[in-house]
Amino acid sequence: MSGVGPTVGDSITTLSEALTLEIGPFEAVHRWKALPECDEFVGARRSKHTMVAYNDAIYVFGGDNGKSMLNDLLRFDVKEKSWGRAFATGAPPAPRYHHSAVVYNDSMFVFGGYTGDIHSNSNLTNKNDLFEYKFKTAQWTEWKFTGRMPVPRSAHGAAIYNDKLWIFAGYDGNARLNDMWTINLGFGERIWEEINQKGERPPTCCNFPVSVARESMFVFSGQSGAKMTNSLFQFNFREKTWTRISTERILRGAPPPPARRYGHTMVAFDRHLYVFGGAADATLSNDLHCFDLDSQSWSVVLPDPESYSPSGRLFHAAAVVNDAMFIFGGTVDNNVRSGEMFRFQFASYPKCTLYEDYGSLLTKEECQRYYDIRFLVGEDEVKICAHVPIVAARSAYLREKIRQARIAMEKHVEKLFKDNNKVNDIHVTDYLEVKLPKANCDAFRMVLDYIYTDQIDPAKYITKDEPDQEKIILIRIMDVYQLAEEFEMSRLEHLCVQFLNTTICLNNIVEALKNADKLKLDFIKEQCLRFIVKETNFNHIIMSSEFETLDSRLMVQIIRRKQMPPPKAAHETMFDLAKHSLEHDMGDFLLNTGKEFCDVDLILDDHVIPAHKAILVARSGYFEARFRSCMPNETDKRVNIKIGELTPSKKSFDTLLRYIYYGDTKMPPEDSLYLFASASFFNFSNIRLQTFCKQNLERNVTHETVIEVLEAADRIQATDMKKYALDLIALNFPKVVKQPRFKMLDKALILDILDILADCMGSNLIIDP
């Protein structure tokens, strides 16, 4: 938690001043829109072109129309939604495709590409020339060089960083490349420099996109022959080092990366990379994938239901203008070139901090004072502390163990009373104790990580210089799987199986089989046997030195399995990863299973709302500060809920609790008003809640909901929203007045409506129905 939230004594004036919504026109997030196509008299339909953004306009250069290469420069005005030819003087680059184009300051730089007659092989050639187009003067200029230069290439990647143009990989006419060159575009000598790249660089490739974010260049997939992968690579400009971002090394319920592809686009916005289209394993794709740079995880972006989505395509181009992505052209079905333009509205939501907030309970020293359960793990009874509400929410088995520990403690206290009969002489620990004698300590800590954050990073538990790291991780995840079975955590079991299926390979399969047999993990053992007897694996495994270390009983099982494979299992049903996720379990805990574990009462007027200290502390700086200064105890565990002089409605506070417990952002518009103001008071990690409140009001304040919004705005003294509601009522008065709730309005609000109606009638804004 950062900082301390406002105290209960803060005035209502501060609250109302903080509520500045500026309601205005709203673009539905994640919605595709079809924009005017490029008319034939402006420019040809095309693919393999480039597209850049500059000052609310998009510039398209080159490509091919299926018959010839192009070198025209088109301009699309984003505000006017109109196409035109960009004015240009000077000699432009020769017609070309698969070139690159980037913007630096007030210029566009075009490098390389393929030129010549696409119907003749006699004059087709790759280029390594560099042209500058100055937007302000509309002038083309070719840069000239001496000394070493990148070899001519096409289908490469280009990026701008630190006043330099960076060129990576591509195709030189004979082979795919993965070299990198840079040149200073600002002050200084115009000299090309080859970069000595360190780390795990991408394989030689072409027809891939690059994006720049956080002082790094990102490369995803592309054509690389037999080495074609769906890996995401990151190049740090400062350290000149490549890293392959491995999403499978962390055990979590995120979707897999997009299928390997080429001819796709990738753009950066906010903390995300967006990958669209391309030829994905021989299919023209129109799916949109998103990589979160913070959580290092992929997700599929589902378009708004009212979207007009592009068809599948490759060799299109993309650019970002303000908070939207624009897609133009490309090759669609039957090798047809497209002249379509599409706009996709991004969602710039602040990230969900639910996992980080709960994870902080385990990692932050100041949160240790809220520990209330101690696990005695293994034969040595290693003490590992945790929080009852989080653990009880995630595991039915551990929830029952906690109940038993409570009963045991109550009996212990009762016995002390009978034997001692002096309360002051009785010392009872603040911790419940649960013994887990058969559990492995490291595996249990990993399970706790999952309980609090919904993921496990096995690398956290291995030192860098430890030998056979992969085998150690494999064994440890099997230990986790065993605990997941015992703790009745089906989702964790499934994730362990997923992780093992992607991790088991020829180098570690024998160790995996041994360990699965030792731990009596029959399902994992079956997975190992199936892997071993595969035609492509069998000979390699039985001829290895590791195979000789197997117990003869296991060798016999392998031979018999090879000779008589079992009948094919029925098609396995897909496991619903949303079931028993952190959000699902915490939601169920709030509404159902958590009531018996409440340790604080929140008082809201005449309502008593049982809650859990650890959860409130993890999510809200206000509660953390309040409990730190005055911790509720068993005899007085009541906390009055007010913001200055304001007491929220029970309905809106229930909505707030849903956000606190499991990050829920669904709410009626009238609740959005209170929550928008209260989010600052309760000191959440970021403004995510306010963002959803504002969006909710923008989308859903209609003549059907405006009366509830007016009452809520009046109640919390949100003057700007009240004015907005009154104006909306005046403009829709014939519809609003027919609603049953209108007759229940407070007299003062009816007078306010009459005042605004009088003003509108004086301005001739009301039209008789």
PDB file of all heavy atoms in Angstrom, residues 504-535:
ATOM      1  N   ILE A 504       8.113 -31.733 -19.705  1.00  0.00           N
ATOM      2  CA  ILE A 504       8.702 -33.066 -19.889  1.00  0.00           C
ATOM      3  C   ILE A 504       9.277 -33.179 -21.297  1.00  0.00           C
ATOM      4  O   ILE A 504       8.626 -32.854 -22.291  1.00  0.00           O
ATOM      5  CB  ILE A 504       7.638 -34.161 -19.643  1.00  0.00           C
ATOM      6  CG1 ILE A 504       7.322 -34.258 -18.144  1.00  0.00           C
ATOM      7  CG2 ILE A 504       8.116 -35.508 -20.165  1.00  0.00           C
ATOM      8  CD1 ILE A 504       6.207 -35.219 -17.814  1.00  0.00           C
ATOM      9  N   CYS A 505      10.525 -33.641 -21.370  1.00  0.00           N
ATOM     10  CA  CYS A 505      11.209 -33.793 -22.656  1.00  0.00           C
ATOM     11  C   CYS A 505      12.117 -35.013 -22.588  1.00  0.00           C
ATOM     12  O   CYS A 505      12.170 -35.717 -21.573  1.00  0.00           O
ATOM     13  CB  CYS A 505      12.005 -32.528 -22.983  1.00  0.00           C
ATOM     14  SG  CYS A 505      13.293 -32.147 -21.773  1.00  0.00           S
ATOM     15  N   LEU A 506      12.841 -35.260 -23.659  1.00  0.00           N
ATOM     16  CA  LEU A 506      13.706 -36.446 -23.704  1.00  0.00           C
ATOM     17  C   LEU A 506      14.766 -36.415 -22.612  1.00  0.00           C
ATOM     18  O   LEU A 506      15.193 -37.474 -22.119  1.00  0.00           O
ATOM     19  CB  LEU A 506      14.374 -36.542 -25.079  1.00  0.00           C
ATOM     20  CG  LEU A 506      13.426 -36.830 -26.259  1.00  0.00           C
ATOM     21  CD1 LEU A 506      14.173 -36.707 -27.575  1.00  0.00           C
ATOM     22  CD2 LEU A 506      12.797 -38.206 -26.125  1.00  0.00           C
ATOM     23  N   ASN A 507      15.197 -35.233 -22.227  1.00  0.00           N
ATOM     24  CA  ASN A 507      16.282 -35.123 -21.241  1.00  0.00           C
ATOM     25  C   ASN A 507      15.837 -35.416 -19.807  1.00  0.00           C
ATOM     26  O   ASN A 507      16.666 -35.733 -18.961  1.00  0.00           O
ATOM     27  CB  ASN A 507      16.902 -33.728 -21.291  1.00  0.00           C
ATOM     28  CG  ASN A 507      17.614 -33.467 -22.600  1.00  0.00           C
ATOM     29  OD1 ASN A 507      18.087 -34.400 -23.250  1.00  0.00           O
ATOM     30  ND2 ASN A 507      17.684 -32.210 -22.998  1.00  0.00           N
ATOM     31  N   ASN A 508      14.523 -35.272 -19.537  1.00  0.00           N
ATOM     32  CA  ASN A 508      14.106 -35.437 -18.137  1.00  0.00           C
ATOM     33  C   ASN A 508      12.995 -36.456 -17.941  1.00  0.00           C
ATOM     34  O   ASN A 508      12.501 -36.626 -16.833  1.00  0.00           O
ATOM     35  CB  ASN A 508      13.660 -34.091 -17.555  1.00  0.00           C
ATOM     36  CG  ASN A 508      12.524 -33.453 -18.336  1.00  0.00           C
ATOM     37  OD1 ASN A 508      11.714 -34.137 -18.938  1.00  0.00           O
ATOM     38  ND2 ASN A 508      12.465 -32.131 -18.302  1.00  0.00           N
ATOM     39  N   ILE A 509      12.594 -37.158 -19.005  1.00  0.00           N
ATOM     40  CA  ILE A 509      11.446 -38.049 -18.906  1.00  0.00           C
ATOM     41  C   ILE A 509      11.692 -39.204 -17.942  1.00  0.00           C
ATOM     42  O   ILE A 509      10.796 -39.621 -17.197  1.00  0.00           O
ATOM     43  CB  ILE A 509      11.043 -38.588 -20.310  1.00  0.00           C
ATOM     44  CG1 ILE A 509       9.817 -39.488 -20.204  1.00  0.00           C
ATOM     45  CG2 ILE A 509      12.198 -39.300 -20.966  1.00  0.00           C
ATOM     46  CD1 ILE A 509       8.590 -38.809 -19.669  1.00  0.00           C
ATOM     47  N   VAL A 510      12.910 -39.732 -17.912  1.00  0.00           N
ATOM     48  CA  VAL A 510      13.195 -40.865 -17.031  1.00  0.00           C
ATOM     49  C   VAL A 510      13.077 -40.432 -15.571  1.00  0.00           C
ATOM     50  O   VAL A 510      12.483 -41.140 -14.736  1.00  0.00           O
ATOM     51  CB  VAL A 510      14.600 -41.444 -17.320  1.00  0.00           C
ATOM     52  CG1 VAL A 510      14.976 -42.492 -16.278  1.00  0.00           C
ATOM     53  CG2 VAL A 510      14.657 -42.043 -18.724  1.00  0.00           C
ATOM     54  N   GLU A 511      13.622 -39.259 -15.250  1.00  0.00           N
ATOM     55  CA  GLU A 511      13.521 -38.733 -13.888  1.00  0.00           C
ATOM     56  C   GLU A 511      12.056 -38.473 -13.524  1.00  0.00           C
ATOM     57  O   GLU A 511      11.629 -38.728 -12.397  1.00  0.00           O
ATOM     58  CB  GLU A 511      14.323 -37.432 -13.783  1.00  0.00           C
ATOM     59  CG  GLU A 511      14.579 -36.961 -12.372  1.00  0.00           C
ATOM     60  CD  GLU A 511      15.546 -37.859 -11.624  1.00  0.00           C
ATOM     61  OE1 GLU A 511      16.470 -38.412 -12.240  1.00  0.00           O
ATOM     62  OE2 GLU A 511      15.349 -38.022 -10.391  1.00  0.00           O
ATOM     63  N   ALA A 512      11.286 -37.968 -14.491  1.00  0.00           N
ATOM     64  CA  ALA A 512       9.867 -37.696 -14.247  1.00  0.00           C
ATOM     65  C   ALA A 512       9.118 -38.986 -13.942  1.00  0.00           C
ATOM     66  O   ALA A 512       8.282 -39.036 -13.024  1.00  0.00           O
ATOM     67  CB  ALA A 512       9.256 -36.996 -15.456  1.00  0.00           C
ATOM     68  N   LEU A 513       9.391 -40.042 -14.703  1.00  0.00           N
ATOM     69  CA  LEU A 513       8.727 -41.329 -14.471  1.00  0.00           C
ATOM     70  C   LEU A 513       9.078 -41.889 -13.098  1.00  0.00           C
ATOM     71  O   LEU A 513       8.204 -42.375 -12.366  1.00  0.00           O
ATOM     72  CB  LEU A 513       9.118 -42.317 -15.567  1.00  0.00           C
ATOM     73  CG  LEU A 513       8.547 -43.736 -15.424  1.00  0.00           C
ATOM     74  CD1 LEU A 513       7.026 -43.715 -15.501  1.00  0.00           C
ATOM     75  CD2 LEU A 513       9.122 -44.669 -16.494  1.00  0.00           C
ATOM     76  N   LYS A 514      10.369 -41.853 -12.750  1.00  0.00           N
ATOM     77  CA  LYS A 514      10.801 -42.346 -11.427  1.00  0.00           C
ATOM     78  C   LYS A 514      10.039 -41.635 -10.310  1.00  0.00           C
ATOM     79  O   LYS A 514       9.534 -42.264  -9.379  1.00  0.00           O
ATOM     80  CB  LYS A 514      12.305 -42.097 -11.238  1.00  0.00           C
ATOM     81  CG  LYS A 514      13.229 -43.022 -11.968  1.00  0.00           C
ATOM     82  CD  LYS A 514      14.657 -42.624 -11.587  1.00  0.00           C
ATOM     83  CE  LYS A 514      15.683 -43.405 -12.364  1.00  0.00           C
ATOM     84  NZ  LYS A 514      17.060 -42.939 -12.042  1.00  0.00           N
ATOM     85  N   ASN A 515       9.984 -40.319 -10.405  1.00  0.00           N
ATOM     86  CA  ASN A 515       9.382 -39.542  -9.327  1.00  0.00           C
ATOM     87  C   ASN A 515       7.870 -39.748  -9.256  1.00  0.00           C
ATOM     88  O   ASN A 515       7.295 -39.842  -8.171  1.00  0.00           O
ATOM     89  CB  ASN A 515       9.689 -38.049  -9.517  1.00  0.00           C
ATOM     90  CG  ASN A 515       9.687 -37.301  -8.212  1.00  0.00           C
ATOM     91  OD1 ASN A 515      10.420 -37.633  -7.283  1.00  0.00           O
ATOM     92  ND2 ASN A 515       8.841 -36.285  -8.114  1.00  0.00           N
ATOM     93  N   ALA A 516       7.219 -39.839 -10.421  1.00  0.00           N
ATOM     94  CA  ALA A 516       5.780 -40.085 -10.429  1.00  0.00           C
ATOM     95  C   ALA A 516       5.463 -41.436  -9.811  1.00  0.00           C
ATOM     96  O   ALA A 516       4.475 -41.587  -9.071  1.00  0.00           O
ATOM     97  CB  ALA A 516       5.248 -40.015 -11.854  1.00  0.00           C
ATOM     98  N   ASP A 517       6.307 -42.434 -10.090  1.00  0.00           N
ATOM     99  CA  ASP A 517       6.115 -43.761  -9.503  1.00  0.00           C
ATOM    100  C   ASP A 517       6.361 -43.726  -7.991  1.00  0.00           C
ATOM    101  O   ASP A 517       5.595 -44.312  -7.216  1.00  0.00           O
ATOM    102  CB  ASP A 517       7.060 -44.755 -10.176  1.00  0.00           C
ATOM    103  CG  ASP A 517       6.882 -46.169  -9.660  1.00  0.00           C
ATOM    104  OD1 ASP A 517       5.792 -46.739  -9.884  1.00  0.00           O
ATOM    105  OD2 ASP A 517       7.819 -46.695  -9.018  1.00  0.00           O
ATOM    106  N   LYS A 518       7.394 -43.032  -7.578  1.00  0.00           N
ATOM    107  CA  LYS A 518       7.733 -42.944  -6.146  1.00  0.00           C
ATOM    108  C   LYS A 518       6.619 -42.261  -5.346  1.00  0.00           C
ATOM    109  O   LYS A 518       6.277 -42.695  -4.239  1.00  0.00           O
ATOM    110  CB  LYS A 518       9.043 -42.168  -6.002  1.00  0.00           C
ATOM    111  CG  LYS A 518       9.449 -41.885  -4.569  1.00  0.00           C
ATOM    112  CD  LYS A 518      10.694 -41.010  -4.536  1.00  0.00           C
ATOM    113  CE  LYS A 518      11.013 -40.551  -3.121  1.00  0.00           C
ATOM    114  NZ  LYS A 518      12.169 -39.616  -3.108  1.00  0.00           N
ATOM    115  N   LEU A 519       6.043 -41.187  -5.917  1.00  0.00           N
ATOM    116  CA  LEU A 519       5.010 -40.433  -5.208  1.00  0.00           C
ATOM    117  C   LEU A 519       3.610 -41.010  -5.410  1.00  0.00           C
ATOM    118  O   LEU A 519       2.634 -40.462  -4.890  1.00  0.00           O
ATOM    119  CB  LEU A 519       5.022 -38.970  -5.676  1.00  0.00           C
ATOM    120  CG  LEU A 519       6.296 -38.170  -5.400  1.00  0.00           C
ATOM    121  CD1 LEU A 519       6.208 -36.780  -6.025  1.00  0.00           C
ATOM    122  CD2 LEU A 519       6.542 -38.055  -3.899  1.00  0.00           C
ATOM    123  N   LYS A 520       3.548 -42.126  -6.200  1.00  0.00           N
ATOM    124  CA  LYS A 520       2.262 -42.762  -6.484  1.00  0.00           C
ATOM    125  C   LYS A 520       1.288 -41.797  -7.177  1.00  0.00           C
ATOM    126  O   LYS A 520       0.096 -41.759  -6.863  1.00  0.00           O
ATOM    127  CB  LYS A 520       1.628 -43.339  -5.211  1.00  0.00           C
ATOM    128  CG  LYS A 520       2.448 -44.463  -4.587  1.00  0.00           C
ATOM    129  CD  LYS A 520       1.761 -45.039  -3.364  1.00  0.00           C
ATOM    130  CE  LYS A 520       2.451 -46.297  -2.867  1.00  0.00           C
ATOM    131  NZ  LYS A 520       3.882 -46.133  -2.582  1.00  0.00           N
ATOM    132  N   LEU A 521       1.837 -41.007  -8.102  1.00  0.00           N
ATOM    133  CA  LEU A 521       1.017 -40.089  -8.891  1.00  0.00           C
ATOM    134  C   LEU A 521       0.635 -40.806 -10.189  1.00  0.00           C
ATOM    135  O   LEU A 521       1.301 -40.686 -11.214  1.00  0.00           O
ATOM    136  CB  LEU A 521       1.787 -38.796  -9.188  1.00  0.00           C
ATOM    137  CG  LEU A 521       2.309 -38.028  -7.959  1.00  0.00           C
ATOM    138  CD1 LEU A 521       3.065 -36.795  -8.401  1.00  0.00           C
ATOM    139  CD2 LEU A 521       1.162 -37.644  -7.043  1.00  0.00           C
ATOM    140  N   ASP A 522      -0.446 -41.583 -10.136  1.00  0.00           N
ATOM    141  CA  ASP A 522      -0.793 -42.473 -11.240  1.00  0.00           C
ATOM    142  C   ASP A 522      -1.077 -41.707 -12.526  1.00  0.00           C
ATOM    143  O   ASP A 522      -0.709 -42.152 -13.617  1.00  0.00           O
ATOM    144  CB  ASP A 522      -2.016 -43.321 -10.856  1.00  0.00           C
ATOM    145  CG  ASP A 522      -1.701 -44.287  -9.719  1.00  0.00           C
ATOM    146  OD1 ASP A 522      -0.504 -44.605  -9.544  1.00  0.00           O
ATOM    147  OD2 ASP A 522      -2.629 -44.701  -9.003  1.00  0.00           O
ATOM    148  N   PHE A 523      -1.745 -40.586 -12.419  1.00  0.00           N
ATOM    149  CA  PHE A 523      -2.082 -39.830 -13.634  1.00  0.00           C
ATOM    150  C   PHE A 523      -0.815 -39.305 -14.312  1.00  0.00           C
ATOM    151  O   PHE A 523      -0.673 -39.396 -15.536  1.00  0.00           O
ATOM    152  CB  PHE A 523      -3.015 -38.663 -13.277  1.00  0.00           C
ATOM    153  CG  PHE A 523      -3.481 -37.886 -14.475  1.00  0.00           C
ATOM    154  CD1 PHE A 523      -4.520 -38.362 -15.264  1.00  0.00           C
ATOM    155  CD2 PHE A 523      -2.874 -36.689 -14.832  1.00  0.00           C
ATOM    156  CE1 PHE A 523      -4.958 -37.656 -16.370  1.00  0.00           C
ATOM    157  CE2 PHE A 523      -3.306 -35.977 -15.944  1.00  0.00           C
ATOM    158  CZ  PHE A 523      -4.344 -36.468 -16.713  1.00  0.00           C
ATOM    159  N   ILE A 524       0.108 -38.753 -13.522  1.00  0.00           N
ATOM    160  CA  ILE A 524       1.366 -38.245 -14.080  1.00  0.00           C
ATOM    161  C   ILE A 524       2.195 -39.396 -14.648  1.00  0.00           C
ATOM    162  O   ILE A 524       2.810 -39.273 -15.720  1.00  0.00           O
ATOM    163  CB  ILE A 524       2.169 -37.483 -13.014  1.00  0.00           C
ATOM    164  CG1 ILE A 524       1.349 -36.320 -12.447  1.00  0.00           C
ATOM    165  CG2 ILE A 524       3.489 -36.989 -13.576  1.00  0.00           C
ATOM    166  CD1 ILE A 524       0.994 -35.258 -13.448  1.00  0.00           C
ATOM    167  N   LYS A 525       2.202 -40.509 -13.940  1.00  0.00           N
ATOM    168  CA  LYS A 525       2.934 -41.686 -14.424  1.00  0.00           C
ATOM    169  C   LYS A 525       2.399 -42.120 -15.777  1.00  0.00           C
ATOM    170  O   LYS A 525       3.167 -42.454 -16.701  1.00  0.00           O
ATOM    171  CB  LYS A 525       2.815 -42.823 -13.408  1.00  0.00           C
ATOM    172  CG  LYS A 525       3.570 -44.084 -13.799  1.00  0.00           C
ATOM    173  CD  LYS A 525       3.433 -45.151 -12.724  1.00  0.00           C
ATOM    174  CE  LYS A 525       4.090 -46.458 -13.155  1.00  0.00           C
ATOM    175  NZ  LYS A 525       3.947 -47.518 -12.126  1.00  0.00           N
ATOM    176  N   GLU A 526       1.074 -42.112 -15.936  1.00  0.00           N
ATOM    177  CA  GLU A 526       0.461 -42.481 -17.215  1.00  0.00           C
ATOM    178  C   GLU A 526       0.900 -41.525 -18.321  1.00  0.00           C
ATOM    179  O   GLU A 526       1.190 -41.942 -19.450  1.00  0.00           O
ATOM    180  CB  GLU A 526      -1.061 -42.480 -17.069  1.00  0.00           C
ATOM    181  CG  GLU A 526      -1.824 -42.777 -18.343  1.00  0.00           C
ATOM    182  CD  GLU A 526      -1.565 -44.174 -18.874  1.00  0.00           C
ATOM    183  OE1 GLU A 526      -1.209 -45.082 -18.085  1.00  0.00           O
ATOM    184  OE2 GLU A 526      -1.707 -44.367 -20.100  1.00  0.00           O
ATOM    185  N   GLN A 527       0.975 -40.213 -18.015  1.00  0.00           N
ATOM    186  CA  GLN A 527       1.435 -39.231 -18.999  1.00  0.00           C
ATOM    187  C   GLN A 527       2.877 -39.541 -19.436  1.00  0.00           C
ATOM    188  O   GLN A 527       3.211 -39.431 -20.619  1.00  0.00           O
ATOM    189  CB  GLN A 527       1.392 -37.815 -18.402  1.00  0.00           C
ATOM    190  CG  GLN A 527       0.030 -37.349 -17.928  1.00  0.00           C
ATOM    191  CD  GLN A 527      -0.887 -37.001 -19.073  1.00  0.00           C
ATOM    192  OE1 GLN A 527      -1.709 -37.820 -19.475  1.00  0.00           O
ATOM    193  NE2 GLN A 527      -0.778 -35.799 -19.592  1.00  0.00           N
ATOM    194  N   CYS A 528       3.715 -39.915 -18.462  1.00  0.00           N
ATOM    195  CA  CYS A 528       5.115 -40.242 -18.768  1.00  0.00           C
ATOM    196  C   CYS A 528       5.222 -41.474 -19.659  1.00  0.00           C
ATOM    197  O   CYS A 528       6.008 -41.506 -20.620  1.00  0.00           O
ATOM    198  CB  CYS A 528       5.891 -40.471 -17.470  1.00  0.00           C
ATOM    199  SG  CYS A 528       6.089 -38.996 -16.454  1.00  0.00           S
ATOM    200  N   LEU A 529       4.449 -42.522 -19.341  1.00  0.00           N
ATOM    201  CA  LEU A 529       4.495 -43.747 -20.146  1.00  0.00           C
ATOM    202  C   LEU A 529       4.054 -43.468 -21.582  1.00  0.00           C
ATOM    203  O   LEU A 529       4.648 -43.985 -22.537  1.00  0.00           O
ATOM    204  CB  LEU A 529       3.607 -44.822 -19.511  1.00  0.00           C
ATOM    205  CG  LEU A 529       4.124 -45.431 -18.199  1.00  0.00           C
ATOM    206  CD1 LEU A 529       3.075 -46.331 -17.565  1.00  0.00           C
ATOM    207  CD2 LEU A 529       5.418 -46.209 -18.435  1.00  0.00           C
ATOM    208  N   ARG A 530       3.034 -42.667 -21.751  1.00  0.00           N
ATOM    209  CA  ARG A 530       2.572 -42.330 -23.105  1.00  0.00           C
ATOM    210  C   ARG A 530       3.653 -41.583 -23.885  1.00  0.00           C
ATOM    211  O   ARG A 530       3.833 -41.800 -25.086  1.00  0.00           O
ATOM    212  CB  ARG A 530       1.302 -41.467 -23.028  1.00  0.00           C
ATOM    213  CG  ARG A 530       0.069 -42.225 -22.568  1.00  0.00           C
ATOM    214  CD  ARG A 530      -1.154 -41.319 -22.590  1.00  0.00           C
ATOM    215  NE  ARG A 530      -2.328 -42.005 -22.115  1.00  0.00           N
ATOM    216  CZ  ARG A 530      -3.549 -41.459 -22.077  1.00  0.00           C
ATOM    217  NH1 ARG A 530      -3.717 -40.208 -22.505  1.00  0.00           N
ATOM    218  NH2 ARG A 530      -4.573 -42.146 -21.629  1.00  0.00           N
ATOM    219  N   PHE A 531       4.377 -40.714 -23.197  1.00  0.00           N
ATOM    220  CA  PHE A 531       5.450 -39.963 -23.857  1.00  0.00           C
ATOM    221  C   PHE A 531       6.560 -40.907 -24.293  1.00  0.00           C
ATOM    222  O   PHE A 531       7.091 -40.794 -25.407  1.00  0.00           O
ATOM    223  CB  PHE A 531       5.985 -38.901 -22.887  1.00  0.00           C
ATOM    224  CG  PHE A 531       7.072 -38.042 -23.469  1.00  0.00           C
ATOM    225  CD1 PHE A 531       6.766 -36.849 -24.110  1.00  0.00           C
ATOM    226  CD2 PHE A 531       8.417 -38.409 -23.370  1.00  0.00           C
ATOM    227  CE1 PHE A 531       7.762 -36.041 -24.648  1.00  0.00           C
ATOM    228  CE2 PHE A 531       9.424 -37.622 -23.897  1.00  0.00           C
ATOM    229  CZ  PHE A 531       9.085 -36.436 -24.542  1.00  0.00           C
ATOM    230  N   ILE A 532       6.914 -41.844 -23.417  1.00  0.00           N
ATOM    231  CA  ILE A 532       8.043 -42.739 -23.695  1.00  0.00           C
ATOM    232  C   ILE A 532       7.762 -43.639 -24.895  1.00  0.00           C
ATOM    233  O   ILE A 532       8.639 -43.851 -25.749  1.00  0.00           O
ATOM    234  CB  ILE A 532       8.376 -43.583 -22.440  1.00  0.00           C
ATOM    235  CG1 ILE A 532       8.977 -42.682 -21.351  1.00  0.00           C
ATOM    236  CG2 ILE A 532       9.343 -44.719 -22.784  1.00  0.00           C
ATOM    237  CD1 ILE A 532       9.156 -43.375 -20.016  1.00  0.00           C
ATOM    238  N   VAL A 533       6.560 -44.176 -24.993  1.00  0.00           N
ATOM    239  CA  VAL A 533       6.287 -45.172 -26.035  1.00  0.00           C
ATOM    240  C   VAL A 533       5.920 -44.537 -27.390  1.00  0.00           C
ATOM    241  O   VAL A 533       5.667 -45.268 -28.353  1.00  0.00           O
ATOM    242  CB  VAL A 533       5.157 -46.146 -25.607  1.00  0.00           C
ATOM    243  CG1 VAL A 533       5.561 -46.886 -24.341  1.00  0.00           C
ATOM    244  CG2 VAL A 533       3.836 -45.398 -25.396  1.00  0.00           C
ATOM    245  N   LYS A 534       5.928 -43.229 -27.470  1.00  0.00           N
ATOM    246  CA  LYS A 534       5.710 -42.590 -28.775  1.00  0.00           C
ATOM    247  C   LYS A 534       6.815 -43.019 -29.730  1.00  0.00           C
ATOM    248  O   LYS A 534       7.986 -43.132 -29.350  1.00  0.00           O
ATOM    249  CB  LYS A 534       5.720 -41.060 -28.629  1.00  0.00           C
ATOM    250  CG  LYS A 534       4.412 -40.486 -28.145  1.00  0.00           C
ATOM    251  CD  LYS A 534       4.485 -38.962 -28.139  1.00  0.00           C
ATOM    252  CE  LYS A 534       3.190 -38.351 -27.648  1.00  0.00           C
ATOM    253  NZ  LYS A 534       3.265 -36.869 -27.581  1.00  0.00           N
ATOM    254  N   GLU A 535       6.439 -43.231 -30.981  1.00  0.00           N
ATOM    255  CA  GLU A 535       7.381 -43.731 -31.983  1.00  0.00           C
ATOM    256  C   GLU A 535       8.618 -42.844 -32.074  1.00  0.00           C
ATOM    257  O   GLU A 535       9.743 -43.339 -32.217  1.00  0.00           O
ATOM    258  CB  GLU A 535       6.674 -43.804 -33.345  1.00  0.00           C
ATOM    259  CG  GLU A 535       7.310 -44.784 -34.306  1.00  0.00           C
ATOM    260  CD  GLU A 535       7.182 -46.225 -33.850  1.00  0.00           C
ATOM    261  OE1 GLU A 535       6.089 -46.633 -33.410  1.00  0.00           O
ATOM    262  OE2 GLU A 535       8.192 -46.937 -33.924  1.00  0.00           O
TER     263      GLU A 535
END
